[in-house]
Amino acid sequence: MHATEPDEPNQVGAKTAFDGESYDVLIVGAGASGLYMLYRVRQLGLSVRVLEAGGGVGGTWYWNRYPGARCDTDTLEYSYSFCEELQQEWEWPERYPTQPEILRYLEHVADRFALRSDISFNTRAAAAAFDEAANRWRVRTECGDRLSAQFLVMATGCLSVPITPKFDGVDSFAGPTYHTGRWPHEGVDFGGQRVGIIGTGSSAVQAIPVIAEQARQLVVFQRTAQYTVPARNQPVDPELVAAIKADYAGFRARNRRMQSGQLSHRPGNDISALAVDAAERERIFEQRWQAGGFLFFGSFNDLMVNEQANAAAAEFVRGKIRATVRDPGVAELLCPAHTIACKRPVLDSGYFETFNRGNVLLVDVQAAPIREITPSGVRTAAAHYELDCIIFATGFDGMTGALTAIDLRGRGGVTLRGEWAAGPRNYLGLAVPGFPNLFTITGPGSPSVLTNMMVAIEQHVEWVADCIGSLREQGHSCIEATAAAADAWVEHVNEVADRTLYPTCNSWYLGANIPGKPRVFMPLPGFPAYADKCEEVAGNGYEGFALA
Ligand code: NA7
């Protein structure tokens, strides 16, 4: 691909001043998890270094700079809660934060707590092996640095390995290509261009309305139609901000008791969609549709467990698509058939309306798949589309991709890639048997992406920091999840997922977007019971772990 790579890693051989250093803790990643992990490790008084592949902090929000990129969690909830002054002083302008605002916030956090001095930027971790004799992790970076640490924390993110499908001829395209997850820092001017975008996930749904306004023509290649709910972004309500800030700690604590880790002030409707008649159901859906955002998915308490309830929500959204898109053929093509919300729910600002524009063309690549990329465009089984540039909005190797991208080797040289060949196997989504003193932040098997990520991150980081602190206090040098605890945990995650409708469609939650990836539902639906379980495990002297 020709996509601009904004940050090339250091060349192999160009070692840094940290080559050969040893630490108490090494953290991989300086996104929202890595920054907070660093802060907490420093509080323990331990030596620490963060390895970050990008040229700056921010993780997801450093890389995903495509037009329209924005978080779909409310600003007042998508932020750290660990510092009262920080949460009081920061002002968010809109209901949902844009990518530049979140990045500015994370950069502010890095500066406010002077975190940068312990972070090595443009430094990608390539391999890490557990040295059993020394009880230490030995880590090698792509630039050839070798570092070691007692503990290794993988704060590598859930959606950080972008995927570009291996279309025939992809390298022959004469114009530029871009991936939404690796967007050029200088931005892209689409003025006068014929732009193709492949994919209609969250990234594409955010980018399409913005690019359609700039481009001469936008061709949208859709394989699976997407349910999306209007975000209804707007300036923040100063009264709501004042009310939340009057008791921010209480608000955060209440959010931590919500399954979604957010919206404690606007909770879901705790009745079944089938407990009311059709007219009342419609009224409630409409009310929440107008309120915008994830509130829609809280219309009833059984949308993700009852097929009929889910079908009613799906039909409501299809009705909205038909009422919005003027061309009935295009509207039908935009109407999804699968279970609503079993793929990650998407929020939009004018997505369906964009298909009423004269310069936007929807191409169904389910009926006529993409055959090849040619020097001048995209050829499907039905036609050839002439393009000046192509955007891949084709997603990520979710949840496990960033972990298996690194050559992680545990006891006896066993590889994580090999251990997880049939799907991730770990305990609490935090620790892998055979990989002592290694922790994964928001890893598979934890609520992670099904919860407000900031809440999930803080809960994990605090648990890991407390665990490291407690091990040192008690004179233990090593902690390792037992195989039995991991087996029971994986069974538990599968059981919980199987009680829901999540596994009923192809999603990155299931790894279904990656050819050959085992089909296993990776996140655990289950905050806050999950957080209680983590507390219980710690309270019982780290039950399910072997301490040495
Ligand atoms: P997603 O949600 O994984 O979306 C990827 C899109 O790309 C989706 O529409 C896919 O269709 C499509 N895709 C992938 N491969 C192909 C091929 N080979 N041909 C045609 N279309 C393809 O990634 P996003 O970046 O949008 O969002 C990721 C997460 O970021 C999101 O869930 C939020 O949590 C934020 P498919 O549905 O697989 O048929």
Side-chain angles (χ1 to χ4, degrees):
M1 28 196 289
H2 310 273
T4 315
E5 284 291 340
D7 297 282
E8 292 298 331
N10 292 339
Q11 294 304 301
V12 174
K15 292 185 181 180
T16 74
F18 301 100
D19 182 35
E21 289 294 317
S22 56
Y23 299 90
D24 295 317
V25 183
L26 269 174
I27 300 167
V28 184
S33 324
L35 289 178
Y36 185 39
M37 194 72 234
L38 168 57
Y39 174 85
R40 292 298 293 236
V41 170
R42 273 193 189 168
Q43 282 188 330
L44 292 170
L46 303 179
S47 63
V48 56
R49 177 135 294 271
V50 180
L51 306 177
E52 168 54 54
V57 301
T60 287
W61 302 107
Y62 174 86
W63 297 104
N64 286 267
R65 298 171 186 241
Y66 59 84
R70 194 184 277 276
C71 182
D72 47 19
T73 297
D74 286 35
T75 46
L76 288 147
E77 309 180 59
Y78 193 83
S79 49
Y80 292 116
S81 71
F82 68 82
C83 172
E84 179 63 16
E85 294 77 30
L86 171 68
Q87 63 183 3
Q88 288 294 341
E89 75 200 11
W90 193 262
E91 306 279 353
W92 297 98
E94 291 177 290
R95 177 174 176 183
Y96 305 97
T98 61
Q99 174 272 330
E101 281 160 3
I102 305 171
L103 189 57
R104 196 165 63 83
Y105 169 76
L106 293 171
E107 285 173 345
H108 169 75
V109 169
D111 292 335
R112 194 185 194 289
F113 300 101
L115 299 176
R116 290 179 203 266
S117 57
D118 286 330
I119 306 173
S120 295
F121 293 106
N122 300 312
T123 304
R124 190 179 282 279
F130 187 68
D131 176 342
E132 292 181 63
N135 237 350
R136 293 184 74 75
W137 279 96
R138 304 214 177 271
V139 176
R140 181 172 51 79
T141 70
E142 268 187 1
C143 66
D145 281 351
R146 288 174 191 277
L147 307 108
S148 80
Q150 185 183 3
F151 297 99
L152 180 61
V153 181
M154 305 304 289
T156 38
C158 298
L159 295 162
S160 39
V161 177
I163 292 299
T164 304
K166 293 185 172 51
F167 295 115
D168 281 349
V170 68
D171 291 324
S172 72
F173 185 64
T177 65
Y178 309 97
H179 191 290
T180 50
R182 284 289 179 274
W183 204 257
H185 287 201
E186 64 278 14
V188 181
D189 179 6
F190 291 112
Q193 305 259 311
R194 294 165 304 174
V195 182
I197 184 164
I198 301 175
T200 50
S202 207
S203 303
V205 166
Q206 290 187 333
I208 284 168
V210 182
I211 297 172
E213 285 186 1
Q214 303 165 4
R216 173 148 64 98
Q217 197 196 13
L218 179 63
V219 184
V220 178
F221 296 92
Q222 169 188 281
R223 185 166 68 182
T224 308
Q226 180 71 262
Y227 295 99
T228 119
V229 174
R232 306 215 188 278
N233 186 41
Q234 54 196 284
V236 285
D237 169 1
E239 280 178 28
L240 178 67
V241 175
I244 287 175
K245 287 196 170 178
D247 176 26
Y248 221 145
F251 178 63
R252 302 288 198 179
R254 289 187 293 278
N255 277 350
R256 281 188 172 213
R257 301 314 300 165
M258 302 295 289
Q259 197 180 346
S260 61
Q262 57 187 305
L263 294 171
S264 57
H265 58 310
R266 302 176 90 175
N269 190 14
D270 199 17
I271 56 165
S272 162
L274 310 178
V276 295
D277 63 22
E280 176 63 0
R281 204 157 44 229
E282 201 73 1
R283 189 190 68 75
I284 292 173
F285 280 142
E286 182 64 32
Q287 193 185 44
R288 288 185 167 254
W289 180 268
Q290 292 306 331
F294 287 132
L295 296 174
F296 179 77
F297 299 98
S299 296
F300 298 99
N301 66 8
D302 53 354
L303 298 187
M304 286 319 290
V305 289
N306 182 300
E307 279 178 31
Q308 249 181 295
N310 189 285
E315 190 51 32
F316 178 87
V317 177
R318 285 190 290 264
K320 290 292 184 189
I321 298 170
R322 293 181 185 118
T324 305
V325 180
R326 285 197 289 272
D327 180 323
V330 175
E332 266 337 286
L333 212 51
L334 287 167
C335 280
H338 57 271
T339 311
I340 188 169
C342 80
K343 284 176 184 275
R344 168 65 155 68
V346 175
L347 306 187
D348 75 282
S349 297
Y351 176 67
F352 293 121
E353 290 82 347
T354 300
F355 293 91
N356 290 330
R357 296 176 66 105
N359 69 335
V360 175
L361 178 69
L362 181 66
V363 174
D364 178 2
V365 296
Q366 196 165 60
I370 295 174
R371 288 272 187 257
E372 60 170 339
I373 309 251
T374 68
S376 62
V378 171
R379 188 187 312 284
T380 70
H384 183 265
Y385 299 88
E386 293 283 325
L387 300 168
D388 299 311
C389 63
I390 300 174
I391 300 166
F392 293 99
T394 42
F396 301 86
D397 186 355
M399 305 218 64
T400 54
L403 296 169
T404 54
I406 297 170
D407 183 11
L408 275 169
R409 290 170 190 259
R411 285 193 195 280
V414 163
T415 64
L416 189 76
R417 286 173 198 152
E419 289 296 281
W420 285 11
R425 176 170 165 270
N426 64 13
Y427 181 40
L428 300 175
L430 275 164
V432 187
F435 293 74
N437 291 358
L438 174 93
F439 298 102
T440 53
I441 305 298
T442 64
S446 76
S448 184
V449 292
L450 296 180
T451 301
N452 175 355
M453 277 304 284
M454 282 300 207
V455 168
I457 285 169
E458 287 195 332
Q459 185 257 337
H460 262 191
V461 167
E462 286 160 16
W463 192 92
V464 171
D466 290 350
C467 175
I468 293 175
S470 143
L471 292 175
R472 291 182 76 98
E473 249 171 55
Q474 288 164 26
H476 295 300
S477 62
C478 193
I479 183 165
E480 180 178 352
T482 67
D487 287 344
W489 187 254
V490 170
E491 207 173 302
H492 168 68
V493 175
N494 289 334
E495 262 172 34
V496 175
D498 287 343
R499 289 200 294 266
T500 72
L501 299 172
Y502 282 114
T504 59
C505 71
N506 292 329
S507 68
W508 58 259
Y509 293 149
L510 270 172
N513 62 329
I514 308 290
K517 190 166 174 174
R519 199 180 168 96
V520 174
F521 193 78
M522 292 180 285
L524 167 71
F527 213 80
Y530 166 80
D532 295 341
K533 172 71 182 171
C534 290
E535 285 308 300
E536 186 190 307
V537 165
N540 290 340
Y542 294 97
E543 205 172 14
F545 288 93
L547 306 179

